[in-house]
Amino acid sequence: MAELTAEAQPLEGSEATAILERARAVVDPEMRAAVDSLPGSLRRIARYHFGWEHADGTPADGSAGKAIRPALVLTAAGALGGSRARERAVRAAVAVELVHNFTLLHDDVMDRDPTRRHRPTAWTVFGDADAILAGNALQALALRLFAEDPHPASAQAAVRLTECVIELCAGQHVDTAMELRSPTDVSLAEVLTMAEAKTGALLGCACALGALYAGADHEDVEALDAFGRQAGLAFQLIDDVIGIWGDPHRTGKPAGADLAARKKSLPVVAALTSGTPASAELAELYALPCVEGDQEAVERIALAVERAGGRDWAQVEAADRMARAMQELSRAVPEPESAGGLLALAEFVTRRSS
Amino acid sequence: MAELTAEAQPLEGSEATAILERARAVVDPEMRAAVDSLPGSLRRIARYHFGWEHADGTPADGSAGKAIRPALVLTAAGALGGSRARERAVRAAVAVELVHNFTLLHDDVMDRDPTRRHRPTAWTVFGDADAILAGNALQALALRLFAEDPHPASAQAAVRLTECVIELCAGQHVDTAMELRSPTDVSLAEVLTMAEAKTGALLGCACALGALYAGADHEDVEALDAFGRQAGLAFQLIDDVIGIWGDPHRTGKPAGADLAARKKSLPVVAALTSGTPASAELAELYALPCVEGDQEAVERIALAVERAGGRDWAQVEAADRMARAMQELSRAVPEPESAGGLLALAEFVTRRSS
């Protein structure tokens, strides 16, 4: 786990930061052009969501996110096809980011999430219907980009992205359905599959699209998909660990916020299904209603998750997923100098907000 | 107006019916194959929506609608490119129907409509989130069909369909926003634009896609788009007239249901903006809350709409739109024997449920 939880080494961290910055620089203008092609009403909602405008339509300098997915597309294309391939993959990178934001707009409505990127979510400002409609328009925009792209891989890439959209929707279905079930009725396999669908699928698709745009063969495309999926799962595992034991000063959320919300996160489900005495205690604690501000109760739950092995399991599992990701990457991109960018991005995402 | 409100002539009616039946026969298996490729959870919601399954997953023999849009795609392809073009346009026909059903699933959630095709809507059975997710998956499926289609027009067709999706979403945005406004604040131009976006755009797109798949030139593609749009507007105008003055025995809805719901339908907005004494009276009546079962009040409103010229305007406007549709059609397809099928479909839709 050392490579995941240790402080970012300056060199690696700055390599990922430089890659992300460079991706944003080429993707941002195309993203804005795509969004600005929408009719006024939908454009306004999308521009608000991306942080480019305030709710009243005045310009904002908010960030539209870290652009990890576009960076994965471009870096994968570069790793397998050099700088020419990377340059030609910009539309694919924009398409992936548009799909990501389409799902964010919709998921926030379904999950009733009030904030996104430190601002009120679009549905809280414009209403459910408009947030959903803006999301639909972003899906259409993403697929229009492929249909307009003369690149020989664009049709194959569009097929892959639509399949990913379907997997994302299936993952979100499982997630919303799971909300209604008792935590003790949920299996670890189910939450892992759900996390792969909701988080791994699009990261994998981003890498696969980059490979497709580099003209890679089927095997390498699949290896890069697996690389992104496994890194995505590692990210989700670490993110769930941080959601319980993360430093509130660094996460910006109260300690144990996911526990107070009784989330069926990966460490919790691992703990609940561990069959240890602590897992029975945890089940009882998790069944109690949450009393706001009762930090002592949250700490008792966190301790029970830890004693039932949830924390160790998540960290070992994350390390294992990262190892698998590295293995897939080295299969498709054996030269370390070519694989370096993707490696740096994978380590960056699994270390983010820790 | 005679050709719109008169009883269907047996020959013409049966021609449209035969075209629709033939379209369903080739489109249905492809639709089912596309939907059955979805993961289990989403497949079940979609199969329920299409009327192929009951809510408990047992088979149902419900109809998935009249397949007017697929029939327009296939008939337009046939009109401009003969039977070979029609045969090759099946995927495009399926894609249009998938998009239509994606918007139905979403619109029913947003409009809180309880019934669709005489059954409870998907959101009432599976919840809002699942109905939205199933709709998203149908959009993805539609665009996957184009990405997988080796036909030389498939990319252009995909661009056109994504632009139509965006117009549909913009139309639905205007519609939901209009619900919150006073009826007297709404202009006739606004409701006409909204009706064109919500109803005309996809009918026009269906015809244009058929033309694209027949290898038609830009001008003919645009003419067929305009034909479908104008026929769609004529349909909406007639549908709105029926929503006020239709025979309850034939519509299956109580007389004046749209008035009781205070809908801002085209004849009502035309009447409200006519500047006649009756329009002021109508504005007062429309501002009163609806008392359930007060059929006398509904009849007074219907009379006010009629006296303010709303009924005449809608019928003249519908006839005018149909004339424009015919003009566009004869420009692209001058031979009457080739244009006959599209003409029959246009007359069928503008006469439906009357």
Side-chain angles (χ1 to χ4, degrees):
Chain A
M1 274 313 298
E3 77 274 37
L4 293 180
T5 53
E7 286 296 291
Q9 287 165 36
L11 232 171
E12 276 178 13
S14 71
E15 184 182 352
T17 309
I19 292 171
L20 290 169
E21 217 161 278
R22 198 164 51 158
R24 270 199 302 273
V26 294
V27 165
D28 249 37
E30 301 284 335
M31 288 277 290
R32 286 176 184 261
V35 168
D36 284 349
S37 75
L38 293 175
S41 50
L42 300 174
R43 182 169 65 229
R44 206 181 131 201
I45 304 155
R47 290 183 57 89
Y48 172 82
H49 166 78
F50 282 113
W52 302 332
E53 271 182 21
H54 297 294
D56 63 4
T58 55
D61 56 359
S63 144
K66 291 194 195 64
I68 285 163
R69 290 158 194 82
L72 285 172
V73 175
L74 299 176
T75 311
L80 283 152
S83 62
R84 179 87 189 93
R86 192 175 56 229
E87 280 159 28
R88 294 176 71 201
V90 172
R91 279 193 230 193
V94 175
V96 167
E97 192 67 358
L98 288 169
V99 160
H100 176 52
N101 282 281
F102 136 56
T103 63
L104 293 181
L105 276 161
H106 281 203
D107 290 0
D108 286 344
V109 172
M110 296 174 198
D111 304 339
R112 310 319 282 167
D113 271 331
T115 51
R116 160 84 48 204
R117 295 169 190 149
H118 311 288
R119 305 162 74 226
T121 39
W123 69 270
T124 67
V125 177
F126 300 99
D128 289 9
D130 278 356
I132 292 165
L133 292 167
N136 292 343
L138 295 191
Q139 184 186 175
L141 276 184
L143 291 158
R144 191 178 75 186
L145 280 175
F146 283 122
E148 286 172 342
D149 191 348
H151 193 291
S154 63
Q156 255 186 293
V159 171
R160 213 163 174 113
L161 190 60
T162 57
E163 280 166 359
C164 181
V165 164
I166 291 166
E167 191 174 352
L168 289 163
C169 291
Q172 175 68 6
H173 161 81
V174 173
D175 197 14
T176 55
M178 219 175 250
E179 280 297 302
L180 306 170
R181 286 162 56 193
S182 157
T184 49
D185 282 349
V186 172
S187 77
L188 192 51
E190 276 181 299
V191 273
L192 275 169
T193 305
M194 194 258 284
E196 181 169 342
K198 281 198 69 174
T199 309
L202 192 54
L203 293 176
C205 183
C207 298
L209 260 46
L212 275 174
Y213 268 66
D217 64 21
H218 178 72
E219 222 166 85
D220 287 350
V221 173
E222 293 306 327
L224 275 205
D225 191 301
F227 160 74
R229 272 178 192 267
Q230 298 299 334
L233 269 170
F235 155 71
Q236 193 57 61
L237 286 153
I238 297 298
D239 201 52
D240 283 0
V241 167
I242 293 165
I244 301 176
W245 296 282
D247 178 354
H249 296 294
R250 301 184 67 179
T251 63
K253 290 194 278 186
D258 285 1
L259 298 178
R262 301 289 188 266
K263 281 205 182 162
K264 297 171 188 86
S265 70
L266 289 157
V268 169
V269 176
L272 284 169
T273 55
S274 67
T276 59
S279 72
E281 187 202 332
L282 173 61
E284 273 175 47
L285 292 169
Y286 234 52
L288 298 171
C290 170
V291 179
E292 214 183 302
D294 187 351
Q295 203 54 36
E296 206 190 301
V298 168
E299 277 162 30
R300 280 177 63 202
I301 297 176
L303 196 64
V305 176
E306 191 155 4
R307 283 179 28 238
R311 185 176 191 164
D312 284 348
W313 172 84
Q315 294 194 317
V316 170
E317 187 73 20
D320 183 46
R321 300 290 179 167
M322 270 303 269
R324 287 201 231 174
M326 298 306 128
Q327 214 175 338
E328 298 284 356
L329 178 59
S330 67
R331 185 182 306 178
V333 191
E335 315 78 24
E337 60 278 18
S338 302
L342 286 169
L343 192 61
L345 284 174
E347 298 207 326
F348 178 85
V349 296
T350 52
R351 219 157 29 212
R352 94 155 213 335
S353 74
S354 63
Chain B
M1 273 312 300
E3 77 273 39
L4 293 180
T5 53
E7 287 296 290
Q9 287 165 36
L11 232 172
E12 276 178 16
S14 72
E15 184 181 351
T17 308
I19 292 171
L20 290 169
E21 216 161 278
R22 198 164 53 157
R24 270 199 302 273
V26 294
V27 166
D28 250 36
E30 302 283 335
M31 289 277 289
R32 285 176 184 260
V35 168
D36 284 349
S37 76
L38 293 175
S41 50
L42 301 174
R43 182 170 64 231
R44 205 180 133 202
I45 304 155
R47 289 184 58 88
Y48 172 83
H49 166 78
F50 282 113
W52 303 332
E53 271 181 22
H54 297 293
D56 63 4
T58 55
D61 56 359
S63 142
K66 292 194 193 63
I68 285 163
R69 290 157 194 82
L72 284 173
V73 175
L74 299 176
T75 310
L80 283 152
S83 62
R84 180 87 188 96
R86 192 175 58 228
E87 280 157 30
R88 294 175 71 200
V90 171
R91 279 193 231 195
V94 174
V96 167
E97 192 67 357
L98 288 169
V99 160
H100 176 53
N101 282 281
F102 136 56
T103 63
L104 293 181
L105 276 160
H106 281 204
D107 290 0
D108 286 345
V109 172
M110 297 173 197
D111 303 340
R112 310 318 283 166
D113 271 331
T115 51
R116 160 82 50 201
R117 295 169 189 149
H118 310 289
R119 304 163 74 224
T121 40
W123 70 269
T124 67
V125 176
F126 300 98
D128 289 10
D130 278 355
I132 291 164
L133 292 167
N136 292 344
L138 295 191
Q139 183 186 176
L141 277 184
L143 292 158
R144 190 178 77 186
L145 281 175
F146 283 122
E148 286 173 340
D149 191 348
H151 193 291
S154 63
Q156 254 186 294
V159 171
R160 211 159 178 118
L161 190 59
T162 57
E163 281 167 358
C164 181
V165 165
I166 291 166
E167 190 175 353
L168 288 163
C169 291
Q172 176 68 6
H173 160 81
V174 173
D175 197 14
T176 55
M178 219 174 250
E179 280 297 301
L180 306 171
R181 286 161 58 193
S182 158
T184 48
D185 281 350
V186 172
S187 78
L188 193 51
E190 276 181 299
V191 273
L192 275 169
T193 304
M194 194 259 285
E196 181 169 342
K198 282 199 66 172
T199 308
L202 191 53
L203 293 177
C205 183
C207 297
L209 260 45
L212 274 174
Y213 268 66
D217 65 21
H218 178 71
E219 222 166 85
D220 286 350
V221 173
E222 293 306 326
L224 275 206
D225 191 301
F227 159 74
R229 273 178 192 267
Q230 297 300 335
L233 269 170
F235 155 70
Q236 193 56 61
L237 285 154
I238 296 299
D239 201 52
D240 283 0
V241 167
I242 292 165
I244 301 176
W245 295 281
D247 177 354
H249 296 295
R250 300 184 68 177
T251 62
K253 290 195 277 186
D258 284 2
L259 298 179
R262 302 289 188 266
K263 281 206 180 161
K264 297 171 188 84
S265 70
L266 288 157
V268 168
V269 176
L272 283 169
T273 55
S274 67
T276 60
S279 74
E281 187 202 334
L282 173 62
E284 274 177 46
L285 291 170
Y286 234 52
L288 298 172
C290 170
V291 179
E292 214 184 303
D294 187 351
Q295 203 54 35
E296 204 190 302
V298 168
E299 277 162 30
R300 279 178 62 203
I301 297 176
L303 195 65
V305 176
E306 191 155 3
R307 282 180 27 238
R311 185 176 193 163
D312 284 347
W313 171 83
Q315 294 194 316
V316 170
E317 187 74 18
D320 183 45
R321 298 293 178 166
M322 271 302 271
R324 286 201 231 174
M326 298 306 128
Q327 213 175 337
E328 298 285 354
L329 179 59
S330 67
R331 184 183 306 176
V333 191
E335 315 77 25
E337 61 276 20
S338 302
L342 286 170
L343 191 61
L345 284 174
E347 298 206 325
F348 178 85
V349 296
T350 51
R351 221 163 19 214
R352 94 157 212 338
S353 73
S354 62

